[in-house]
Amino acid sequence: MDNSIVQNILEKQVLTVVKAVEDKIDEEISALDRLDLDDIEALRERRLQQMKKMAEKRSRWIGLGHGEYSEIPNEKDFFSVVKASERVVCHFYRENWPCKVMDKHLSILAKQHIETRFVKINAEKSLYLAEKLKIVVLPTLALIKNAKVDDYVVGFDELGGSDDFSTEELEERLAKSQVIVYEGESSLNASKSKGKTKSVRQSSYSSDSE
């Protein structure tokens, strides 16, 4: 194909995109022009109220320990933690390499997703809790919403099966269970599964993921 023809096609495509963007901007400007002062003041007030509510939420979350990845010292504290926060990711761990890999990713996500509490608890020192929740493989993440375990991430099977998975892969997996608020690609899948409770049977696993 002649270069001049290709150039013309590209220029037409660019002009089409530019025209669409301009039309969108014109539409938004027209909508603003139709607003009177009372409408603008109402929008401003609504936005201020939304910002105030979000600031109050963030303050409450930080007060509960959100924004950092911390360890629960004992089983008794586990129950108070999951009751206090709407969304909790709890890592049942032991002192091994796979659990240290999980720690690294969860430390990053705790800072990125302040809406969720990220904690860990030593499974070998929490035998009653581990048995009650059927924790067999370590690491296991218990994904908790409204004080109930809603889902599990068991080992690395759902993360590519090896320890070189990315933080983004774990983030997308947590988003599928809606235990974090995520505006990425996987949020579409998360919305499809809304209202469904996924149960992962852990009793079928009998070996450590090491």
Side-chain angles (χ1 to χ4, degrees):
M1 187 180 289
D2 189 273
N3 285 337
S4 61
I5 296 174
V6 174
Q7 184 67 26
N8 286 336
I9 292 172
L10 289 174
E11 286 177 359
K12 285 180 181 178
Q13 289 177 339
V14 170
L15 286 172
T16 301
V17 172
V18 170
K19 180 69 167 59
V21 172
E22 287 178 345
D23 289 345
K24 180 67 176 174
I25 293 171
D26 288 342
E27 183 183 322
E28 291 176 356
I29 290 172
S30 296
L32 287 173
D33 287 341
R34 289 194 296 270
L35 293 175
D36 58 28
L37 289 176
D38 288 340
D39 291 330
I40 293 171
E41 184 59 32
L43 286 172
R44 179 175 173 277
E45 182 61 29
R46 192 180 309 154
R47 180 62 179 152
L48 285 172
Q49 289 301 320
Q50 288 173 344
M51 291 172 66
K52 184 180 177 182
K53 284 181 181 178
M54 181 51 68
E56 289 172 353
K57 269 188 178 181
R58 287 179 65 88
S59 178
R60 184 172 64 85
W61 286 336
I62 290 170
L64 290 171
H66 292 224
E68 59 185 40
Y69 180 47
S70 55
E71 180 158 6
I72 299 175
N74 55 60
E75 293 176 314
K76 183 180 178 182
D77 287 342
F78 170 85
F79 294 102
S80 60
V81 165
V82 300
K83 287 177 182 176
S85 297
E86 183 182 347
R87 292 176 291 264
V88 179
V89 174
C90 183
H91 174 201
F92 283 83
Y93 81 98
R94 58 177 289 195
E95 294 297 336
N96 66 10
W97 170 249
C99 291
K100 290 184 186 301
V101 170
M102 190 65 80
D103 281 340
K104 178 188 73 173
H105 295 296
L106 293 174
S107 294
I108 295 169
L109 291 175
K111 294 178 176 64
Q112 292 178 347
H113 292 279
I114 195 172
E115 75 279 0
T116 300
R117 180 87 191 269
F118 286 82
V119 295
K120 66 177 183 175
I121 189 167
N122 191 317
E124 294 177 328
K125 296 178 181 179
S126 311
L127 298 179
Y128 166 77
L129 195 57
E131 182 179 352
K132 184 178 176 66
L133 298 179
K134 297 182 174 62
I135 306 294
V136 178
V137 176
L138 300 174
T140 284
L141 303 184
L143 311 183
I144 303 160
K145 293 190 290 186
N146 298 314
K148 293 181 181 179
V149 178
D150 186 68
D151 200 356
Y152 295 97
V153 178
V154 181
F156 299 155
D157 287 351
E158 296 181 71
L159 302 167
S162 65
D163 62 10
D164 62 352
F165 62 92
S166 67
T167 303
E168 288 74 21
E169 286 175 295
L170 178 57
E171 183 179 32
E172 288 184 13
R173 174 60 186 86
L174 299 180
K176 285 180 181 178
S177 294
Q178 297 180 312
V179 76
I180 60 172
V181 177
Y182 181 48
E183 298 300 330
E185 185 179 313
S186 67
S187 62
L188 296 172
N189 296 326
S191 64
K192 290 178 184 176
S193 62
K194 191 174 184 180
K196 295 180 182 178
T197 300
K198 182 180 176 185
S199 177
V200 178
R201 294 180 64 85
Q202 289 178 276
S203 55
S204 62
Y205 295 84
S206 59
S207 62
D208 199 296
S209 62
E210 257 184 314

